[in-house]
Amino acid sequence: MMPLSRFTVLDLTRVRSGPTCVRQLADWGANVIKVEATDEVDTGKGLGGERHGPDFQLVHRNKRGITLNLKSEEGRATFHRLVAKADVVVENYRPDVKNRLGVDYETLSAINPRIVLGSISGFGQTGPYAKRPGFDQIAQGMGGLMSVTGLPGQGPVRAGIPVADLTAGLYCALGIMVALLEREATGKGRWVHTSLLEAMIAMMDFQATRWTMAGEVPPQAGNDHPTTVPTGLFTTTDGVVNLAGGGQQMWERIISVLGIQEEAKDPDVANDKLRSKNRAKTNAMLQAVIGTNTSAHWVAEFNKAGVPCGPVYSMDQVFADEQVKHLGVAMPVQHPQLGEITLVRAPMQIEGVECARNPTPERGQHTDEVLAEFGFTAEEIAQLRSKRAI
């Protein structure tokens, strides 16, 4: 028995934010049933990338797959029979679509008052933008991330990963867990919803509160930390390193490692406030010495002195790193068609419990099996198939 194996989750999600949410539950043993449209309804099959490609295999692992035509009366009725015995439904349709398909909270809670519905939208369930289609890069722009990413004066730059999608999924999963915990006391489910926009603004964290509390609009800071100096990227003889050294104690360790105690007597770098004001001068003082040796040398020396310092890796270098190997971040999974594939495991570790390692299902692979578990007879399943509801 895995930690979440007592929960049944009906997964209606597509693309990335919703599947990211469900993956948090599936990885720890929830009985996740991925509901996809039938071939007749989903003719494009482009959402989320190719089924056997890296994206799709990563986000839909540890699930079983069924097909349902929710546009048909029989398909919706079948789904509602599943809801009656399920614990969680997760969807990331536009708000108006869920109502049209009968997967809104009012409908589902009337069938099963214990149901927890998790919803992710682009901009929220209500308001002037509620019906707009959502996309990660749009949320990155509207949430402020692109305005602080990139080199000073460069203009807006998107982050290299879908930050809004991923964080909306994580926040929704957290909300679902909160609702399930509350249900243990009340016996009643909840509607949990977030949006790409809300999640993105929340992830702006201290950058957002620089505005809400101090009225300060954060600028682009490039590879330097927005507020902590010296924290940034420094060039070595064979590459670059990240150095993080805010605070007087760290500053003293840094100048000791670099042997620049005399240079550091300059009154322009005497304390945190002055170093922040004179960032360029501070960084240049460090760069003059860091540029004389290798990345490996400085990573070793700074860490020995208790100063955070690390290399800047490409993805192949990430997975070649000895600590990454030790942590077992690369997770082998046996796929019936692709053979052994390597995915990225869940980033938290729970002592005594292994993250599930089941491959992404094929479309409709478990339809008959799942429906039978929910009490459908062989005759009913055949009839649904004849009516093209499954």
Short mmCIF file of all heavy atoms in Angstrom, two decimals, residues 141-189:
data_model
loop_
_atom_site.label_atom_id
_atom_site.label_comp_id
_atom_site.label_asym_id
_atom_site.label_seq_id
_atom_site.Cartn_x
_atom_site.Cartn_y
_atom_site.Cartn_z
N GLY A 141 4.22 36.49 -19.00
CA GLY A 141 4.22 37.92 -19.31
C GLY A 141 3.33 38.71 -18.39
O GLY A 141 3.73 39.74 -17.83
N MET A 142 2.10 38.24 -18.19
CA MET A 142 1.13 38.99 -17.39
C MET A 142 1.42 38.90 -15.89
O MET A 142 1.00 39.77 -15.12
CB MET A 142 -0.28 38.48 -17.68
CG MET A 142 -0.75 38.78 -19.09
SD MET A 142 -2.40 38.14 -19.43
CE MET A 142 -3.40 39.17 -18.35
N GLY A 143 2.13 37.86 -15.48
CA GLY A 143 2.46 37.71 -14.06
C GLY A 143 3.73 38.42 -13.63
O GLY A 143 4.07 38.42 -12.45
N GLY A 144 4.45 39.01 -14.59
CA GLY A 144 5.63 39.80 -14.25
C GLY A 144 6.96 39.10 -14.42
O GLY A 144 8.01 39.74 -14.35
N LEU A 145 6.96 37.77 -14.64
CA LEU A 145 8.23 37.05 -14.70
C LEU A 145 9.11 37.52 -15.85
O LEU A 145 10.32 37.71 -15.69
CB LEU A 145 7.98 35.54 -14.82
CG LEU A 145 9.22 34.65 -14.93
CD1 LEU A 145 10.09 34.81 -13.68
CD2 LEU A 145 8.84 33.20 -15.13
N MET A 146 8.51 37.73 -17.02
CA MET A 146 9.31 38.12 -18.17
C MET A 146 9.94 39.50 -18.01
O MET A 146 10.98 39.80 -18.60
CB MET A 146 8.46 38.05 -19.45
CG MET A 146 8.06 36.63 -19.83
SD MET A 146 6.94 36.53 -21.24
CE MET A 146 8.03 37.00 -22.57
N SER A 147 9.34 40.34 -17.18
CA SER A 147 9.87 41.70 -16.98
C SER A 147 11.14 41.71 -16.14
O SER A 147 11.91 42.67 -16.20
CB SER A 147 8.81 42.59 -16.33
OG SER A 147 8.65 42.29 -14.95
N VAL A 148 11.36 40.66 -15.34
CA VAL A 148 12.56 40.62 -14.49
C VAL A 148 13.58 39.59 -14.97
O VAL A 148 14.64 39.44 -14.36
CB VAL A 148 12.19 40.32 -13.01
CG1 VAL A 148 11.28 41.40 -12.46
CG2 VAL A 148 11.55 38.94 -12.86
N THR A 149 13.26 38.89 -16.05
CA THR A 149 14.16 37.86 -16.59
C THR A 149 14.96 38.44 -17.76
O THR A 149 14.41 39.14 -18.60
CB THR A 149 13.35 36.64 -17.07
OG1 THR A 149 12.55 36.16 -15.99
CG2 THR A 149 14.27 35.53 -17.55
N GLY A 150 16.25 38.12 -17.80
CA GLY A 150 17.09 38.61 -18.87
C GLY A 150 18.07 39.66 -18.38
O GLY A 150 18.06 40.07 -17.21
N LEU A 151 18.94 40.10 -19.28
CA LEU A 151 19.97 41.09 -18.94
C LEU A 151 19.35 42.49 -18.87
O LEU A 151 18.39 42.78 -19.57
CB LEU A 151 21.07 41.05 -20.00
CG LEU A 151 21.81 39.71 -20.15
CD1 LEU A 151 22.76 39.75 -21.33
CD2 LEU A 151 22.56 39.36 -18.87
N PRO A 152 19.90 43.35 -18.04
CA PRO A 152 19.37 44.71 -17.94
C PRO A 152 19.28 45.40 -19.29
O PRO A 152 20.24 45.41 -20.06
CB PRO A 152 20.39 45.41 -17.02
CG PRO A 152 20.96 44.31 -16.18
CD PRO A 152 21.01 43.12 -17.10
N GLY A 153 18.11 45.93 -19.59
CA GLY A 153 17.91 46.63 -20.85
C GLY A 153 17.63 45.73 -22.04
O GLY A 153 17.39 46.21 -23.15
N GLN A 154 17.62 44.42 -21.83
CA GLN A 154 17.44 43.48 -22.93
C GLN A 154 16.00 43.45 -23.43
O GLN A 154 15.74 43.12 -24.57
CB GLN A 154 17.87 42.08 -22.47
CG GLN A 154 17.75 41.00 -23.52
CD GLN A 154 18.20 39.64 -23.01
OE1 GLN A 154 18.51 39.49 -21.83
NE2 GLN A 154 18.23 38.65 -23.87
N GLY A 155 15.07 43.78 -22.55
CA GLY A 155 13.67 43.61 -22.88
C GLY A 155 13.16 42.29 -22.33
O GLY A 155 13.96 41.45 -21.89
N PRO A 156 11.85 42.06 -22.31
CA PRO A 156 11.27 40.87 -21.67
C PRO A 156 11.83 39.57 -22.24
O PRO A 156 12.04 39.45 -23.44
CB PRO A 156 9.77 41.01 -21.99
CG PRO A 156 9.56 42.45 -22.26
CD PRO A 156 10.82 42.95 -22.89
N VAL A 157 12.05 38.61 -21.36
CA VAL A 157 12.58 37.29 -21.74
C VAL A 157 11.79 36.21 -21.02
O VAL A 157 11.55 36.31 -19.82
CB VAL A 157 14.07 37.15 -21.37
CG1 VAL A 157 14.59 35.76 -21.71
CG2 VAL A 157 14.91 38.21 -22.08
N ARG A 158 11.36 35.19 -21.74
CA ARG A 158 10.65 34.08 -21.11
C ARG A 158 11.63 33.19 -20.37
O ARG A 158 12.79 33.07 -20.75
CB ARG A 158 9.87 33.26 -22.14
CG ARG A 158 10.74 32.43 -23.05
CD ARG A 158 9.92 31.58 -24.03
NE ARG A 158 9.19 30.54 -23.35
CZ ARG A 158 9.69 29.35 -23.05
NH1 ARG A 158 10.95 29.07 -23.34
NH2 ARG A 158 8.95 28.45 -22.46
N ALA A 159 11.15 32.57 -19.30
CA ALA A 159 11.96 31.57 -18.61
C ALA A 159 12.08 30.33 -19.49
O ALA A 159 11.23 30.07 -20.34
CB ALA A 159 11.34 31.21 -17.27
N GLY A 160 13.11 29.53 -19.25
CA GLY A 160 13.38 28.38 -20.10
C GLY A 160 12.51 27.17 -19.82
O GLY A 160 12.65 26.14 -20.49
N ILE A 161 11.66 27.25 -18.80
CA ILE A 161 10.71 26.18 -18.51
C ILE A 161 9.33 26.80 -18.34
O ILE A 161 9.21 28.00 -18.10
CB ILE A 161 11.09 25.42 -17.21
CG1 ILE A 161 11.14 26.38 -16.02
CG2 ILE A 161 12.40 24.67 -17.38
CD1 ILE A 161 11.28 25.70 -14.68
N PRO A 162 8.25 26.00 -18.45
CA PRO A 162 6.89 26.54 -18.32
C PRO A 162 6.52 26.78 -16.86
O PRO A 162 5.77 26.02 -16.25
CB PRO A 162 6.02 25.46 -18.97
CG PRO A 162 6.78 24.20 -18.75
CD PRO A 162 8.23 24.57 -18.84
N VAL A 163 7.06 27.83 -16.28
CA VAL A 163 6.93 28.09 -14.84
C VAL A 163 5.47 28.17 -14.41
O VAL A 163 5.07 27.60 -13.39
CB VAL A 163 7.66 29.38 -14.46
CG1 VAL A 163 7.57 29.62 -12.96
CG2 VAL A 163 9.12 29.32 -14.88
N ALA A 164 4.64 28.88 -15.15
CA ALA A 164 3.24 29.06 -14.75
C ALA A 164 2.50 27.73 -14.80
O ALA A 164 1.72 27.41 -13.88
CB ALA A 164 2.56 30.08 -15.66
N ASP A 165 2.70 26.95 -15.84
CA ASP A 165 2.06 25.63 -15.94
C ASP A 165 2.45 24.74 -14.76
O ASP A 165 1.60 24.12 -14.11
CB ASP A 165 2.50 24.92 -17.23
CG ASP A 165 1.68 25.32 -18.44
OD1 ASP A 165 0.60 25.92 -18.25
OD2 ASP A 165 2.11 25.04 -19.57
N LEU A 166 3.74 24.65 -14.51
CA LEU A 166 4.23 23.74 -13.48
C LEU A 166 3.76 24.16 -12.09
O LEU A 166 3.33 23.33 -11.28
CB LEU A 166 5.75 23.67 -13.53
CG LEU A 166 6.36 23.13 -14.82
CD1 LEU A 166 7.88 23.16 -14.77
CD2 LEU A 166 5.87 21.71 -15.11
N THR A 167 3.84 25.45 -11.79
CA THR A 167 3.46 25.90 -10.45
C THR A 167 1.95 25.84 -10.25
O THR A 167 1.49 25.52 -9.14
CB THR A 167 3.99 27.31 -10.17
OG1 THR A 167 3.60 28.19 -11.23
CG2 THR A 167 5.49 27.31 -10.09
N ALA A 168 1.17 26.11 -11.30
CA ALA A 168 -0.28 25.96 -11.16
C ALA A 168 -0.62 24.51 -10.83
O ALA A 168 -1.49 24.23 -9.99
CB ALA A 168 -0.98 26.40 -12.44
N GLY A 169 0.07 23.57 -11.49
CA GLY A 169 -0.16 22.16 -11.19
C GLY A 169 0.21 21.81 -9.76
O GLY A 169 -0.51 21.09 -9.07
N LEU A 170 1.34 22.33 -9.29
CA LEU A 170 1.78 22.04 -7.92
C LEU A 170 0.82 22.64 -6.89
O LEU A 170 0.46 21.99 -5.91
CB LEU A 170 3.20 22.58 -7.71
CG LEU A 170 4.30 21.85 -8.48
CD1 LEU A 170 5.62 22.61 -8.35
CD2 LEU A 170 4.45 20.42 -8.00
N TYR A 171 0.41 23.88 -7.12
CA TYR A 171 -0.52 24.52 -6.17
C TYR A 171 -1.86 23.80 -6.14
O TYR A 171 -2.47 23.64 -5.08
CB TYR A 171 -0.72 25.99 -6.54
CG TYR A 171 0.38 26.90 -6.09
CD1 TYR A 171 1.01 27.76 -6.99
CD2 TYR A 171 0.81 26.93 -4.76
CE1 TYR A 171 2.03 28.62 -6.59
CE2 TYR A 171 1.82 27.77 -4.35
CZ TYR A 171 2.42 28.62 -5.26
OH TYR A 171 3.43 29.47 -4.85
N CYS A 172 -2.32 23.34 -7.30
CA CYS A 172 -3.59 22.64 -7.35
C CYS A 172 -3.49 21.31 -6.60
O CYS A 172 -4.39 20.93 -5.85
CB CYS A 172 -4.03 22.41 -8.80
SG CYS A 172 -5.73 21.79 -8.96
N ALA A 173 -2.38 20.60 -6.79
CA ALA A 173 -2.18 19.34 -6.08
C ALA A 173 -2.15 19.57 -4.57
O ALA A 173 -2.73 18.80 -3.80
CB ALA A 173 -0.89 18.67 -6.54
N LEU A 174 -1.49 20.64 -4.14
CA LEU A 174 -1.44 20.97 -2.72
C LEU A 174 -2.84 21.26 -2.20
O LEU A 174 -3.24 20.81 -1.12
CB LEU A 174 -0.51 22.17 -2.50
CG LEU A 174 -0.41 22.71 -1.07
CD1 LEU A 174 0.10 21.63 -0.12
CD2 LEU A 174 0.49 23.93 -1.03
N GLY A 175 -3.62 22.02 -2.97
CA GLY A 175 -4.99 22.34 -2.58
C GLY A 175 -5.86 21.09 -2.47
O GLY A 175 -6.71 20.98 -1.56
N ILE A 176 -5.67 20.16 -3.39
CA ILE A 176 -6.43 18.90 -3.35
C ILE A 176 -6.10 18.14 -2.08
O ILE A 176 -6.98 17.59 -1.41
CB ILE A 176 -6.12 18.06 -4.60
CG1 ILE A 176 -6.78 18.70 -5.84
CG2 ILE A 176 -6.61 16.62 -4.44
CD1 ILE A 176 -6.34 18.12 -7.15
N MET A 177 -4.82 18.08 -1.72
CA MET A 177 -4.43 17.39 -0.49
C MET A 177 -5.03 18.05 0.74
O MET A 177 -5.47 17.39 1.68
CB MET A 177 -2.90 17.34 -0.39
CG MET A 177 -2.22 16.53 -1.48
SD MET A 177 -2.79 14.81 -1.54
CE MET A 177 -2.22 14.20 0.04
N VAL A 178 -5.07 19.39 0.75
CA VAL A 178 -5.70 20.12 1.85
C VAL A 178 -7.18 19.75 1.94
O VAL A 178 -7.71 19.49 3.03
CB VAL A 178 -5.54 21.65 1.66
CG1 VAL A 178 -6.40 22.42 2.67
CG2 VAL A 178 -4.07 22.05 1.81
N ALA A 179 -7.85 19.71 0.79
CA ALA A 179 -9.28 19.37 0.78
C ALA A 179 -9.52 17.94 1.24
O ALA A 179 -10.51 17.66 1.94
CB ALA A 179 -9.85 19.58 -0.63
N LEU A 180 -8.64 17.02 0.85
CA LEU A 180 -8.79 15.62 1.29
C LEU A 180 -8.57 15.50 2.80
O LEU A 180 -9.26 14.72 3.48
CB LEU A 180 -7.82 14.72 0.53
CG LEU A 180 -8.15 14.48 -0.95
CD1 LEU A 180 -7.02 13.73 -1.64
CD2 LEU A 180 -9.46 13.71 -1.10
N LEU A 181 -7.64 16.26 3.33
CA LEU A 181 -7.42 16.25 4.78
C LEU A 181 -8.64 16.80 5.51
O LEU A 181 -9.08 16.26 6.53
CB LEU A 181 -6.17 17.07 5.14
CG LEU A 181 -4.83 16.40 4.87
CD1 LEU A 181 -3.69 17.40 5.04
CD2 LEU A 181 -4.62 15.21 5.80
N GLU A 182 -9.20 17.89 4.99
CA GLU A 182 -10.39 18.46 5.62
C GLU A 182 -11.56 17.47 5.54
O GLU A 182 -12.36 17.36 6.48
CB GLU A 182 -10.77 19.78 4.94
CG GLU A 182 -11.95 20.46 5.63
CD GLU A 182 -12.64 21.49 4.76
OE1 GLU A 182 -12.69 21.30 3.53
OE2 GLU A 182 -13.17 22.47 5.31
N ARG A 183 -11.66 16.75 4.43
CA ARG A 183 -12.76 15.81 4.25
C ARG A 183 -12.76 14.72 5.31
O ARG A 183 -13.82 14.19 5.67
CB ARG A 183 -12.68 15.20 2.84
CG ARG A 183 -13.93 14.45 2.42
CD ARG A 183 -13.78 13.81 1.07
NE ARG A 183 -12.90 12.64 1.12
CZ ARG A 183 -12.73 11.79 0.10
NH1 ARG A 183 -13.36 12.01 -1.05
NH2 ARG A 183 -11.93 10.75 0.22
N GLU A 184 -11.58 14.38 5.81
CA GLU A 184 -11.51 13.37 6.87
C GLU A 184 -12.26 13.83 8.11
O GLU A 184 -12.77 13.01 8.88
CB GLU A 184 -10.05 13.08 7.22
CG GLU A 184 -9.29 12.36 6.11
CD GLU A 184 -7.86 12.05 6.49
OE1 GLU A 184 -7.44 12.44 7.61
OE2 GLU A 184 -7.15 11.42 5.68
N ALA A 185 -12.34 15.14 8.32
CA ALA A 185 -13.04 15.67 9.49
C ALA A 185 -14.50 16.00 9.19
O ALA A 185 -15.38 15.82 10.04
CB ALA A 185 -12.33 16.93 10.00
N THR A 186 -14.78 16.47 7.95
CA THR A 186 -16.13 16.95 7.64
C THR A 186 -16.96 15.97 6.83
O THR A 186 -18.19 16.05 6.82
CB THR A 186 -16.05 18.26 6.86
OG1 THR A 186 -15.46 18.00 5.56
CG2 THR A 186 -15.22 19.30 7.60
N GLY A 187 -16.30 15.06 6.10
CA GLY A 187 -17.01 14.14 5.22
C GLY A 187 -17.46 14.78 3.92
O GLY A 187 -18.12 14.14 3.10
N LYS A 188 -17.08 16.03 3.69
CA LYS A 188 -17.54 16.76 2.51
C LYS A 188 -16.37 17.21 1.65
O LYS A 188 -15.32 17.61 2.16
CB LYS A 188 -18.36 17.98 2.93
CG LYS A 188 -19.10 18.65 1.77
CD LYS A 188 -19.95 19.80 2.28
CE LYS A 188 -20.81 20.40 1.15
NZ LYS A 188 -20.02 20.81 -0.02
N GLY A 189 -16.55 17.12 0.35
CA GLY A 189 -15.51 17.55 -0.58
C GLY A 189 -15.49 19.05 -0.76
O GLY A 189 -16.25 19.79 -0.14
#
